[in-house]
Amino acid sequence: MVGLFGYFWWGSRSLAPTPDARPTVELPQRGGVLAASLRSEPRSFNRLVSRDYATQLFALLTQARLVRVNMATYELESWLAESWTSSPDGLVHTLTLRDGLSWSDGVPFSSADVAFTFAAVFDPRVKSVLASSLQVDGDPLAVATPDARTVVVTFPHPFGPGIRLLDNLTILPKHKLEAALTGGTMADAWGTTTAPAEIVGMGPFVLSQYEPGQRLTFARNPHYWRKDDRGIGLPYLDGLVLRIVPDQNAELLGLQSADLDLTQQQLRPDDYGTAREMERAGRLRMAEVGVSLDPDVFFFNLRPAMWAKDPRRAWLFTDTFRKALNHAVDREAYANTVFLGAAVPVHGPVSPGNKAWFWPDLPRYAFDREKSAALLAELGLANRDADAFLEDAAGNEARFTLIHYKGNTAIERGAQVLKESFERVGVAMDLAPLEPGTLIERMLAGTFEAIFFNYVATDPDPAMQRDFWLSSGSAHIWNISQKTPATEWEREMDALVNRQAANVDPAERVRLFRDVQRVFSEHLPAMYFAAPRLFVAVGPRVRNETPGVTRPQLLWSADTLALAAGAAPTSR
Amino acid sequence: MRRALMLVAVLVAVAVAGPLVAPYGPVTRFDDHLHAPPMPLHLDGRGLYTVPLRPLDRLEQTFAEDPSQRAGLPWTTPAATPVLLLGADRLGRDVLSRTLHGARASLGLALVATAGTLLLGALLGSWAGLAGGLVERLVLKTGDVLMVLPVLYVVVALRAALPLVLPLPVIVGVLAAIFVLLGWPRIARGVWAIVRAEARQEHVLAAVALGASRWRVMTRHLLPACHGYLAVQTALLVPMFVLAEATLSYVGLGFPDGVPSWGTALSDAATISAMTRAPWTLAPALAMFLVVLVTNVLLEPARERHTPDAARSG
Amino acid sequence: MSLARFAVRRVVSGAIFALVVASLTLLLARLVPGDPALEDRLQRSPEEVAALRAELGLDRPFLTQYAHWLGGLLRLDMGRSSLYRRPVTDLVGERAANTALLALAALVVATGIGLPLGRLAGSTQGSLSRVVRALSLAVLSVPPLLSALLLVFIAARTGWLPAGGITSGGLTGAAWFVDLLRHLPVPTLALALPLAATLERLQARAMADTLGRSFVAASRARGLDADAAARVHAWPVSLAPVLGTYGVLVGALFSGSFVVEIVTAWPGLGRLLFDALSARDVWLVAGCGALGAVSLAAGTTLADIAHAALDPRVLEGRIE
């Protein structure tokens, strides 16, 4: 019955063409309440102690930083600090705060709040999750406040990104939290049961209500300082609702029924078709935000201990084997199948979406099965029996197990395509889909052979991702937190990455990072195949969006989002 | 009873033959046909034929018939021109072939689990009925607890403790063991009731008086009394376990994604986009419906004499 | 045995049963490797993980955890959910209310459809009876998983009704209620249809049995026509065995609603349990298990007592 229903339904499907839903150019107006989805609950309203996505988004909406990285251009912009000067050695930065700013409860803002926030971050009782990101080579940044509008930040060592680092730092109100800090209860301050009136900030919105499991409701911050170029006070929106929805199906239905204006993040490739249909019906607009910064990553366990007693060690634990596999993948076909064509082939960890750091001339491994077969033969692998797979001289089959994320279509489909690609050159790969938590657990414990997953970097600047690049790093995924580099090339990469991070000359940094990428590509500790072009769906009444590639693609700039004038209020 | 055995025989036949008649392999992908719609059969003077599809827009997954071309049935057409009678799934695999291959995993598991459940249930039930006393209470009470224990926990706990990659027979074994563990009490209860009543009959009492061993009494006198009940239960258990597999795989705890089974296919089809734009991926649901329907039609009279718990099969 | 003694014995064994099942669920939840502290582990330092474990009470030996949990259970405190960062008791309470709403709606719908149809099919012999019977068999063959998928598909395809969720949110008062009513039919029908078919078959069978029994024949001999006999005598008598199965139906509702909630994104106990399991949220899993066990025990106990009150043969031990 189900099948027959579907058969006839599908047969009779037709879509009347509808007029293009794209808005004509109009200047953004004040007013309206926008509804967006959120797929997790905030753990805390205190950005200093929680780094989960909901808390970060909460901080973006209600709090402010001294400087801001524009997520559409990745340029550094003045924010609470209107200007700054840096010493020639790049160590001392003097920031001048905007005049006449005040917190959402009307209390004036001053450099004392900045000093307070630094003190809170580095207070060991707070155990702040931001502490490590505000250090250079293990030493904290120092801060001085000679007067109410001046903040002097001194770096312990030269650091390439400079005060870009301060984009991480949510400035907190001294007058509300000083007692908690001196009393040692800062770690528990601003939990999710805190009365909304207690949570003051300098962001465009203030929290007016949190109903667990349902929604977070925000109202305009009456004391917000930004104005648009026509002198209209921002934010344009009167308010914002973050609805907590269980999954992406619910998000799509929410968009369809106009209960939502925005979704938490980009569309899944398999929803493009549905979204296009809805777009033609005038239910939403799709916006392409650019190429993802974080292509899915495939890597082997490179801990020597893992392979010490493994009979496959002689070939599985070699650069040549990885090169052979890298040659066996047709990246064009991969992009077509996995991302339905909406992707660009990539050859290294830096995707073309990362415009500042992408290197188009990175050495590539062309799709070439013969080359791949030749490399495998070089390792002594040959087909010695009746099956389709190769064996080494001792009769061990060329076979390994890949664990990958479960419930992520692109990863699952990608794993299938890789499995088939490797099979074509005689290498067998068993697939084991795992819940993300279980997979990470195995990765940290080192109990895996190969992993295929997605790793989201926080910042496009490589100096901000040294966790990944350095052999001692906690996100050096193929061999985490090494005491000393396990290989010569990792030692070389460590040195290059450190020199790159400590350099303050942008051109020299780009050159050094190319060297890093070259070493990476020669030894292939991780392989990359395609980076998707990302699309977001927005409700038809949303105006003036400035999409970025990383989430929140639209809410990063919530103060300039607007709704069409005269649009019906949310919900039918 | 004869009907019940016939039904089981038919299901075994489907499980064996399904993969043999499938036009394509279970993991054969057609990269240009992701979510391609079913290709209807046409008939003209030269016989049955189909019209190949070509992709219009890869991203939107739209297709158009190519009227200049003509293909036969999938079994007779070269693999370069896929003929997808029931359409393709999100990885471009033939839904018809997946459903036929899935019959083996889904029905095979259900049949193995049914056999185990009957064996264990009959043994424990008749033991309880014969022994009485503490054994009887222990068996029945344990059964009560097991019957309501959420299947999910047991599966998660067992699955997580096992190696990542298991050969298919082992996965079938594990899942079957879980189904048996949770399914035997209901058989045991039925057998227990019959055995208890039967044990008071004269010919049994006579056999005991003549010194027959307990094993002999059980196998010669008591279990034969249960055969009608067991035959009907067999036919009821199979569809119940088919649905249990579907439910578990649907929530991602049954067969791993790569194994073609009706449950994994349904879990693939369970997004709003897949359901509205590619409803043909729900074909395994139709297969399951047919299995349950046939069972219900064949066994309706017998079922009414036994337990009223058909609704628990979800 | 008096009805009171029977009731007391039933309640006590129900309570023991609930305790055993709840304890087993906690044990199984702890057996599963991995715990919530490992979520987002990539971004957390070992100190943070240790602190989180201590906060969740997962660093203590199992028996201590178990004792602590049982103690909390008496005070209706089932720990904190690491997934939702809220007390398990609140969370489970809210979701149980949603499940109860769904189950109740389904039970009412199933009873409203099943019993009258069954009475009709059981007391007549014509083509009408055969149609009802065929329909029942067809519906009976669509278990909750399939009926839920089918209804969601129809809802999503046509846009007549919301395909998932419980409310759209942001509404109050009458608008909220109307919205809730719009979300109810899909999961309710998915759950109720197979149940209605079961009830119809049971009722038809019971009705046919009763009509054949002697005292109905006796009243017929006194000159009442067949229809009146069915209405006056057979219907209430035939109701008893049907009501007796409601205890079993509570179990069916539970396992059925688990699937339906997952498919239709209904925020009930089943969906909560599923999310908790995926996130390794130990205390939430145990809480769901405990509440499930208690409601199941309560449901079957109540049904047994009601059955006993309606049919005295149960008290005499003649019917199990």
Side-chain angles (χ1 to χ4, degrees):
Chain A
M1 191 159 74
V2 181
L4 286 182
F5 247 119
Y7 201 85
F8 293 126
W9 224 304
W10 155 78
S12 62
R13 251 174 56 202
S14 69
L15 273 169
T18 45
D20 196 350
R22 215 158 276 280
T24 49
V25 178
E26 62 182 84
L27 292 169
Q29 304 296 323
R30 267 173 79 121
V33 176
L34 181 135
S37 59
L38 181 65
R39 294 223 307 274
S40 56
E41 307 262 344
R43 299 213 153 139
S44 166
F45 293 138
N46 185 349
R47 179 67 184 93
L48 260 46
V49 300
S50 175
R51 53 161 56 105
D52 66 274
Y53 175 68
T55 305
Q56 286 188 34
L57 181 59
F58 180 86
L60 264 178
L61 294 173
T62 60
Q63 307 294 341
R65 297 90 91 197
L66 291 172
V67 293
R68 167 176 103 155
V69 174
N70 183 315
M71 295 313 278
T73 62
Y74 291 110
E75 298 291 325
L76 193 63
E77 294 177 346
S78 64
W79 209 246
L80 295 183
E82 63 181 4
S83 63
W84 56 87
T85 56
S86 303
S87 63
D89 61 4
L91 287 178
V92 182
H93 305 270
T94 307
L95 295 89
T96 307
L97 304 180
R98 283 176 203 278
D99 194 14
L101 299 185
S102 56
W103 292 91
S104 56
D105 58 357
V107 173
F109 164 76
S110 77
S111 63
D113 291 305
V114 179
F116 167 77
T117 306
F118 269 94
V121 165
F122 292 123
D123 187 319
R125 291 172 302 177
V126 179
K127 298 195 194 103
S128 174
V129 297
L130 296 181
S132 62
S133 65
L134 291 169
Q135 297 178 348
V136 177
D137 296 340
D139 296 314
L141 269 56
V143 67
T145 50
D147 66 58
R149 284 188 57 205
T150 307
V151 174
V152 180
V153 178
T154 308
F155 281 64
H157 310 285
F159 189 58
I163 59 165
R164 208 181 162 89
L165 206 60
L166 299 179
D167 176 52
N168 286 329
L169 183 67
T170 295
I171 303 295
L172 295 177
K174 182 181 184 185
H175 67 282
K176 283 286 181 191
L177 290 168
E178 190 172 26
L181 184 63
T182 49
T185 58
M186 183 72 181
D188 302 318
W190 282 9
T192 52
T193 50
T194 311
E198 284 303 298
I199 300 170
V200 307
M202 310 229 352
F205 296 98
V206 288
L207 180 71
S208 45
Q209 199 185 10
Y210 171 43
E211 295 156 83
Q214 298 280 317
R215 66 188 74 80
L216 291 132
T217 313
F218 297 88
R220 175 200 301 281
N221 171 3
H223 295 278
Y224 192 58
W225 52 276
R226 270 189 94 200
K227 292 187 167 42
D228 72 0
D229 42 21
R230 289 174 292 160
I232 298 176
L234 296 176
Y236 291 123
L237 298 172
D238 288 338
L240 184 69
V241 177
L242 293 181
R243 293 232 167 92
I244 294 158
V245 296
D247 57 27
Q248 280 184 294
N249 282 331
E251 285 186 305
L252 209 58
L253 290 168
L255 277 172
Q256 189 171 22
S257 58
D259 290 329
L260 289 176
D261 296 303
L262 301 178
T263 56
Q264 174 176 306
Q265 60 198 58
Q266 70 271 10
L267 290 166
R268 294 178 289 202
D270 287 64
D271 289 335
Y272 294 160
T274 311
R276 282 268 183 247
E277 266 183 28
M278 290 190 205
E279 184 172 39
R280 279 191 286 264
R283 300 270 182 83
L284 53 78
R285 282 184 294 127
M286 277 171 81
E288 181 165 354
V289 297
V291 175
S292 166
L293 297 190
D294 304 295
D296 300 333
V297 48
F298 173 99
F299 58 98
F300 283 96
N301 190 340
L302 295 190
R303 300 176 192 220
M306 168 76 190
W307 304 103
K309 294 196 182 104
D310 196 301
R312 297 168 296 171
R313 175 190 168 88
W315 44 269
L316 191 48
F317 190 53
T318 60
D319 295 2
T320 315
F321 187 66
R322 298 194 293 273
K323 286 177 186 171
L325 294 187
N326 212 13
H327 275 302
V329 179
D330 179 353
R331 287 176 166 74
E332 292 287 344
Y334 182 96
N336 280 340
T337 307
V338 177
F339 296 107
L340 311 179
V344 292
V346 293
H347 301 264
V350 185
S351 101
N354 188 350
K355 296 198 177 63
W357 297 96
F358 176 67
W359 180 26
D361 300 326
L362 177 77
R364 292 182 180 187
Y365 290 79
F367 170 52
D368 185 346
R369 288 209 181 101
E370 279 167 26
K371 185 97 179 261
S372 176
L375 287 169
L376 290 170
E378 214 174 277
L379 289 167
L381 291 166
N383 198 350
R384 297 167 210 269
D385 56 18
D387 67 9
F389 302 113
L390 310 177
E391 287 82 26
D392 64 17
N396 298 302
E397 200 169 52
R399 177 181 288 275
F400 63 93
T401 300
L402 178 76
I403 59 178
H404 63 84
Y405 275 174
K406 175 188 226 166
N408 175 329
T409 309
I411 293 274
E412 287 175 353
R413 202 148 47 193
Q416 293 281 351
V417 173
L418 293 179
K419 177 188 165 84
E420 284 158 28
S421 306
F422 298 162
E423 240 168 54
R424 294 289 291 273
V425 294
V427 175
M429 178 167 80
D430 295 312
L431 301 181
L434 288 182
E435 299 291 338
T438 322
L439 185 142
I440 299 295
E441 187 187 335
R442 282 182 176 267
M443 184 177 91
L444 296 171
T447 49
F448 66 95
E449 294 183 0
I451 286 182
F452 186 48
F453 80 151
N454 191 279
Y455 168 75
V456 179
T458 44
D459 193 297
D461 191 320
M464 309 286 268
Q465 299 170 24
R466 284 182 299 164
D467 273 0
F468 173 82
W469 293 106
L470 293 181
S471 62
S472 58
S474 62
H476 194 71
I477 45 184
W478 53 90
N479 188 358
I480 288 172
S481 303
Q482 305 168 44
K483 292 207 170 58
T484 53
T487 60
E488 207 39 55
W489 56 266
E490 278 173 296
R491 188 185 302 278
E492 187 186 349
M493 233 166 60
D494 283 359
L496 284 167
V497 168
N498 280 329
R499 270 172 63 200
Q500 197 272 107
N503 205 300
V504 290
D505 172 17
E508 181 65 7
R509 292 186 65 211
V510 168
R511 205 190 58 72
L512 283 167
F513 188 56
R514 284 183 180 172
D515 289 343
V516 175
Q517 294 181 70
R518 181 177 294 119
V519 175
F520 190 94
S521 143
E522 273 165 23
H523 297 276
L524 285 178
M527 289 179 227
Y528 301 80
F529 308 101
R533 284 155 45 206
L534 304 182
F535 295 84
V536 292
V538 296
R541 60 194 195 119
V542 176
R543 296 291 181 272
N544 205 40
E545 68 270 14
T546 41
V549 177
T550 48
R551 73 175 188 181
Q553 279 96 349
L554 297 170
L555 286 182
W556 72 270
S557 169
D559 56 354
T560 55
L561 271 179
L563 290 175
T570 297
S571 86
R572 292 146 297 141
Chain B
M1 181 190 141
R2 183 178 294 162
R3 286 175 155 194
L5 294 182
M6 239 169 58
L7 175 72
V8 172
V10 168
L11 294 180
V12 170
V14 172
V16 172
L20 301 179
V21 300
Y24 302 106
V27 292
T28 308
R29 289 191 301 106
F30 300 104
D31 283 350
D32 290 334
H33 288 76
L34 306 188
H35 274 156
M39 296 164 58
L41 284 172
H42 302 274
L43 182 67
D44 68 3
R46 287 188 290 158
L48 282 173
Y49 70 99
T50 52
V51 182
L53 292 174
R54 63 186 164 82
L56 278 183
D57 183 325
R58 190 176 277 283
L59 197 53
E60 292 187 40
Q61 298 184 328
T62 48
F63 299 85
E65 286 194 340
D66 192 345
S68 66
Q69 298 218 44
R70 178 186 166 114
L73 295 175
W75 295 273
T76 57
T77 310
T81 323
V83 176
L84 311 161
L85 293 179
L86 285 181
D89 69 4
R90 67 186 175 127
L91 291 170
R93 300 173 299 201
D94 179 33
V95 171
L96 175 64
S97 301
R98 293 279 293 174
T99 308
L100 286 170
H101 282 279
R104 181 167 289 176
S106 294
L107 292 176
L109 169 63
L111 289 165
V112 171
T114 303
T117 304
L118 288 177
L119 198 68
L120 192 66
L123 278 179
L124 285 175
S126 51
W127 187 35
L130 264 186
L134 186 63
V135 171
E136 182 178 42
R137 289 179 58 184
L138 205 65
V139 167
L140 294 182
K141 286 290 162 198
T142 312
D144 283 353
V145 172
L146 283 178
M147 266 202 282
V148 295
L149 205 61
V151 191
L152 277 178
Y153 296 110
V154 188
V155 181
V156 173
L158 284 176
R159 196 69 187 84
L162 291 169
L164 282 179
V165 179
L166 291 169
L168 190 54
V170 177
I171 298 177
V172 170
V174 168
L175 290 176
I178 293 165
F179 289 173
V180 170
L181 181 71
L182 301 170
W184 69 262
R186 120 191 192 127
I187 305 298
R189 221 167 226 290
V191 171
W192 165 78
I194 296 173
V195 164
R196 208 178 48 159
E198 199 69 13
R200 298 193 192 115
Q201 304 252 329
E202 277 171 19
H203 66 101
V204 179
L205 293 174
V208 174
L210 287 171
S213 73
R214 183 170 279 191
W215 179 253
R216 192 180 160 80
V217 170
M218 205 156 100
T219 51
R220 285 297 166 87
H221 297 277
L222 300 181
L223 285 182
C226 306
H227 70 266
Y229 171 79
L230 290 181
V232 171
Q233 288 299 319
T234 309
L236 289 176
L237 282 174
V238 172
M240 200 178 100
F241 286 148
V242 167
L243 289 166
E245 182 275 324
T247 307
L248 279 184
S249 298
Y250 182 85
V251 299
L253 294 169
F255 284 114
D257 301 0
V259 176
S261 87
W262 294 345
T264 53
L266 278 190
S267 96
D268 270 5
T271 66
I272 291 297
S273 289
M275 247 188 253
T276 52
R277 292 175 53 85
W280 49 87
T281 52
L282 291 170
L286 181 64
M288 263 182 272
F289 169 73
L290 288 177
V291 169
V292 186
L293 182 69
V294 168
T295 311
N296 286 346
V297 169
L298 281 179
L299 292 183
E300 212 242 336
R303 174 213 290 274
E304 284 183 4
R305 286 198 300 278
H306 294 286
T307 43
D309 48 4
R312 300 197 62 155
S313 54
Chain C
M1 201 191 315
S2 74
L3 183 61
R5 266 195 67 193
F6 177 83
V8 168
R9 278 184 55 174
R10 273 311 193 180
V11 168
V12 169
S13 73
I16 294 173
F17 168 80
L19 184 70
V20 171
V21 174
S23 306
L24 271 179
T25 49
L26 180 68
L27 178 67
L28 284 171
R30 288 300 285 128
L31 271 185
V32 178
D35 65 48
L38 288 162
E39 202 200 334
D40 306 333
R41 194 29 234 285
L42 248 199
Q43 300 168 342
R44 282 199 201 133
S45 65
E47 296 81 41
E48 281 175 61
V49 172
L52 191 59
R53 261 208 196 114
E55 183 195 321
L56 293 167
L58 296 173
D59 52 344
R60 291 170 294 175
F62 175 73
L63 278 182
T64 318
Q65 289 178 31
Y66 178 59
H68 189 82
W69 185 71
L70 276 188
L73 211 53
L74 294 177
R75 288 173 279 118
L76 287 182
D77 170 12
M78 298 191 272
R80 281 180 77 81
S81 153
S82 59
L83 179 63
Y84 295 96
R85 295 264 146 175
R86 293 176 55 202
V88 168
T89 312
D90 297 3
L91 209 56
V92 164
E94 278 166 25
R95 299 301 189 89
N98 292 341
T99 296
L101 173 67
L102 177 60
L104 201 67
L107 204 59
V108 168
V109 170
T111 307
I113 298 174
L115 293 193
L117 281 181
R119 186 189 170 187
L120 191 73
S123 53
T124 57
Q125 294 286 323
S127 54
L128 186 66
S129 164
R130 274 200 292 276
V131 169
V132 170
R133 187 191 176 98
L135 209 67
S136 271
L137 274 180
V139 173
L140 210 52
S141 312
V142 186
L145 173 66
L146 301 188
S147 58
L149 281 170
L150 177 67
L151 288 165
V152 167
F153 161 62
I154 293 177
R157 188 71 230 174
T158 60
W160 291 334
L161 289 169
I166 177 163
T167 55
S168 309
L171 301 174
T172 48
W176 170 82
F177 188 67
V178 170
D179 189 52
L180 179 67
L181 286 186
R182 279 172 50 78
H183 283 80
L184 256 176
V186 168
T188 304
L189 281 180
L191 196 53
L193 284 181
L195 218 57
T198 309
L199 285 175
E200 186 276 327
R201 290 288 76 210
L202 287 172
Q203 178 66 57
R205 183 80 199 166
M207 196 73 188
D209 277 357
T210 319
L211 280 174
R213 241 191 258 152
S214 55
F215 70 94
V216 179
S219 55
R220 203 177 292 170
R222 284 203 304 272
L224 294 160
D225 62 37
D227 253 11
R231 202 165 42 244
V232 176
H233 295 289
W235 171 253
V237 175
S238 72
L239 216 51
V242 177
L243 286 181
T245 62
Y246 267 68
V248 181
L249 292 188
V250 173
L253 273 173
F254 256 90
S255 56
S257 74
F258 174 80
V259 175
V260 170
E261 283 174 12
I262 288 176
V263 176
T264 64
W266 183 268
L269 214 49
R271 177 91 204 180
L272 186 69
L273 172 63
F274 177 63
D275 291 341
L277 275 172
S278 314
R280 301 275 191 276
D281 192 339
V282 178
W283 304 121
L284 188 53
V285 168
C288 290
L291 190 67
V294 169
S295 352
L296 201 62
T300 44
T301 305
L302 279 178
D304 282 351
I305 294 173
H307 190 191
L310 275 170
D311 190 342
R313 287 177 302 165
V314 173
L315 293 182
E316 293 156 24
R318 282 198 280 136
I319 296 180
E320 263 296 324

